[in-house]
Amino acid sequence: EVQLLESVGVWGGLVQPGESLRLSCAASGFTFSSYAMSWVRQIPGEGLEWVSAISASGGNTNYADSVKGRFTISRDNSKNTLYLQMSSLRVEDTAVYYCAKDHYGSGSYIFDCWGPGTLVTVSS
Amino acid sequence: DIQMTQSPSSLSASVGDGVTMTCRASQSISSFLNWYQQKPGKAPKLLISAASSLQSGVPSRFRGSGSGTEFTLTISSLHPEDFATYYCQQSYSIPAFGQGTKLEIK
């Protein structure tokens, strides 16, 4: 069974504006190194926003304009883990963050499996 | 950037009814259109990809159609578990989601 599970750093998901945070997504049940992956976020009660994607090898990345230059996506295929390093966090980055598996190996941007999500709150 | 617009934003219906919701793209996206279902407190679930390709395990009462800029999701006979929010998403370029259609029980 394909499973994705997001987690946040040891300090939890509550940070102040300007601070940094790293999200992790542990994958199992499929050949992680063969699939592109993405992060998608959702402000509670609102719609979905794609944040970033990374190719299967990790050699290609893409970002939404709203996070470009502040967020960095990466992966460790030996650990079956996807990461999102978030810096210079803003109040408007407050959201539930989902990791999502690409339906095809290459970046099709069709998301066929999602983690349960992890809440990141940016507040002073 | 390609903008996605869904209508209506909410829809009330009864079990057994058929419903149709629409998704429009700001420019042609061919058939690069996907539909997701999301229930409160849960992650989205992929229902349909490439405008009309039903995902494995998704009931046949769900049907997607359209191409270019206009797409529809039809549920032929509502079951209680179908009441949820539905999002369209284009995968033609940098992904973008519609704002969602909330399907509520009448």
Side-chain angles (χ1 to χ4, degrees):
Chain A
E1 180 191 4
V2 174
Q3 288 193 329
L4 299 170
L5 184 61
E6 304 91 345
S7 61
V8 74
V10 293
W11 301 110
L14 174 60
V15 295
Q16 296 190 345
E19 293 186 339
S20 298
L21 196 63
R22 188 176 82 160
L23 304 183
S24 301
C25 172
S28 61
F30 66 104
T31 305
F32 180 72
S33 59
S34 296
Y35 290 89
M37 298 290 294
S38 280
W39 289 97
V40 178
R41 68 184 180 183
Q42 184 171 36
I43 296 171
E46 298 191 14
L48 299 162
E49 179 189 18
W50 172 81
V51 172
S52 182
I54 188 167
S55 63
S57 67
N60 290 298
T61 58
N62 227 332
Y63 298 92
D65 287 344
S66 58
V67 306
K68 201 172 293 183
R70 300 188 299 121
F71 289 13
T72 302
I73 191 171
S74 62
R75 63 192 297 161
D76 186 336
N77 285 343
S78 69
K79 294 182 178 179
N80 290 348
T81 303
L82 175 72
Y83 302 101
L84 186 67
Q85 178 69 45
M86 304 184 290
S87 61
S88 302
L89 281 161
R90 304 168 180 167
V91 171
E92 55 265 34
D93 294 318
T94 295
V96 174
Y97 285 74
Y98 297 100
C99 64
K101 171 187 166 290
D102 205 275
H103 190 46
Y104 299 104
S106 59
S108 69
Y109 293 133
I110 301 170
F111 309 121
D112 68 354
C113 183
W114 299 60
T118 190
L119 177 62
V120 172
T121 303
V122 185
S123 174
S124 55
Chain B
D1 293 359
I2 299 174
Q3 312 299 323
M4 307 301 294
T5 304
Q6 291 183 242
S7 61
S9 55
S10 65
L11 184 54
S12 293
S14 301
V15 172
D17 287 351
V19 296
T20 297
M21 57 193 76
T22 299
C23 176
R24 290 186 173 86
S26 59
Q27 65 186 73
S28 178
I29 57 170
S30 184
S31 295
F32 291 90
L33 191 283
N34 314 301
W35 289 97
Y36 299 84
Q37 176 193 67
Q38 186 179 34
K39 296 181 179 179
K42 301 294 187 182
K45 173 188 174 183
L46 178 65
L47 298 177
I48 290 170
S49 62
S52 61
S53 179
L54 204 64
Q55 295 305 294
S56 175
V58 175
S60 58
R61 62 182 180 272
F62 290 89
R63 185 173 67 87
S65 64
S67 66
T69 62
E70 187 154 336
F71 303 85
T72 59
L73 174 67
T74 298
I75 310 173
S76 59
S77 178
L78 285 167
H79 287 207
E81 62 267 28
D82 298 337
F83 292 93
T85 300
Y86 293 85
Y87 292 95
C88 64
Q89 175 240 332
Q90 63 86 5
S91 50
Y92 179 82
S93 63
I94 294 298
F97 293 86
Q99 81 279 18
T101 292
K102 186 174 183 179
L103 178 57
E104 299 174 301
I105 298 176
K106 187 182 291 184

